[in-house]
Amino acid sequence: EAGVTQFPSHSVIEKGQTVTLRCDPISGHDNLYWYRRVMGKEIKFLLHFVKESKQDESGMPNNRFLAERTGGTYSTLKVQPAELEDSGVYFCASSQEDLNTEAFFGQGTRLTVV
Amino acid sequence: QKEVEQDPGPLSVPEGAIVSLNCTYSNSAFQYFMWYRQYSRKGPELLMYTYSSGNKEDGRFTAQVDKSSKYISLFIRDSQPSDSATYLCAMTEANNLFFGTGTRLTVIP
């Protein structure tokens, strides 16, 4: 069974550009989470989808970030326009039930804004 | 003040040593206490989790929770070079995960 996969693994963009990160959850997992780790800090929650609906987006830093999960399958996280402080590693996780104890993480997308 | 505090290390031990990794927390509402292992360029992998105060053992790993002191530990017995990774503690409140910064562990053959 394929795990959670994220694309790209690494992205380097200039300040002001747009970047779209993608997450493919484990098949059948209704719950999808986005997290972010900026340099030297802890991993922090961004938002949580249940199927295609946003269950909790309290961790989204500002309106430059837009997450979607059309059809309840894969999800995208768009940053527009990117700023230097957006650099970090973005993780996606998925679970069948709404339980963090059963969530599986992807390998992350390392975003560098220069 | 961070909700979860974890010594970032790095921590280097010889193969076969007992490793102790620790986190403290300030939020009494935390429900589940978890330990993740993260290899370089990989995502966090859940090692084990506990709900109540006390010890939980899984092979060479023992998770310990002391809710009265707001302190959790992960012990690794007979450490192996393959245990070299970053270990993250995490805790849940209302199904939100709060992570520590992680401790980088190196087990030297």
Side-chain angles (χ1 to χ4, degrees):
Chain A
E1 178 183 289
V4 178
T5 51
Q6 293 186 242
F7 307 95
S9 57
H10 192 186
S11 178
V12 181
I13 63 171
E14 292 184 352
K15 176 182 173 181
Q17 289 187 323
T18 297
V19 64
T20 300
L21 314 180
R22 173 171 168 147
C23 169
D24 284 68
I26 292 172
S27 178
H29 281 192
D30 288 339
N31 293 275
L32 188 149
Y33 311 83
W34 282 98
Y35 292 87
R36 175 174 76 168
R37 180 173 189 156
V38 297
M39 182 76 75
K41 302 285 189 181
E42 67 274 20
I43 297 173
K44 283 194 173 180
F45 167 81
L46 294 178
L47 87 159
H48 170 206
F49 281 101
V50 178
K51 296 186 180 178
E52 67 275 9
S53 299
K54 293 176 184 173
Q55 181 79 7
D56 181 354
E57 52 183 329
S58 61
M60 294 287 265
N62 52 62
N63 59 10
R64 296 185 293 104
F65 289 75
L66 175 64
E68 295 180 322
R69 193 182 181 194
T70 307
T73 55
Y74 71 90
S75 175
T76 58
L77 180 64
K78 181 190 289 188
V79 185
Q80 179 182 29
E83 298 289 345
L84 298 178
E85 64 264 25
D86 300 332
S87 296
V89 182
Y90 289 76
F91 291 104
C92 173
S94 74
S95 64
Q96 190 165 24
E97 302 294 330
D98 187 13
L99 290 172
N100 276 298
T101 54
E102 296 183 359
F104 294 87
F105 280 78
Q107 83 280 11
T109 293
R110 183 174 298 273
L111 173 65
T112 303
V113 183
V114 297
Chain B
Q1 181 189 7
K2 290 181 184 177
E3 296 206 65
V4 180
E5 296 280 356
Q6 183 174 10
D7 187 340
L11 181 63
S12 291
V13 300
E15 183 175 353
I18 296 174
V19 176
S20 173
L21 304 166
N22 310 294
C23 289
T24 58
Y25 63 95
S26 56
N27 187 348
S28 300
F30 284 143
Q31 297 164 305
Y32 287 93
F33 303 88
M34 304 148 86
W35 285 97
Y36 287 83
R37 178 176 61 196
Q38 185 178 15
Y39 292 114
S40 181
R41 306 292 181 179
K42 300 290 186 182
E45 171 196 11
L46 181 64
L47 277 176
M48 52 197 308
Y49 69 90
T50 58
Y51 179 78
S52 56
S53 284
N55 294 350
K56 181 177 180 179
E57 193 173 314
D58 184 1
R60 296 184 295 108
F61 298 88
T62 299
Q64 187 176 81
V65 173
D66 182 347
K67 286 189 174 183
S68 62
S69 301
K70 296 188 177 66
Y71 189 90
I72 70 169
S73 300
L74 177 70
F75 299 97
I76 307 174
R77 290 185 300 280
D78 187 24
S79 55
Q80 302 295 309
S82 58
D83 295 329
S84 298
T86 296
Y87 289 81
L88 303 141
C89 63
M91 305 171 192
T92 67
E93 180 195 5
N95 212 37
N96 287 330
L97 261 179
F98 295 84
F99 283 89
T101 50
T103 300
R104 183 177 295 179
L105 171 68
T106 301
V107 180
I108 303 166

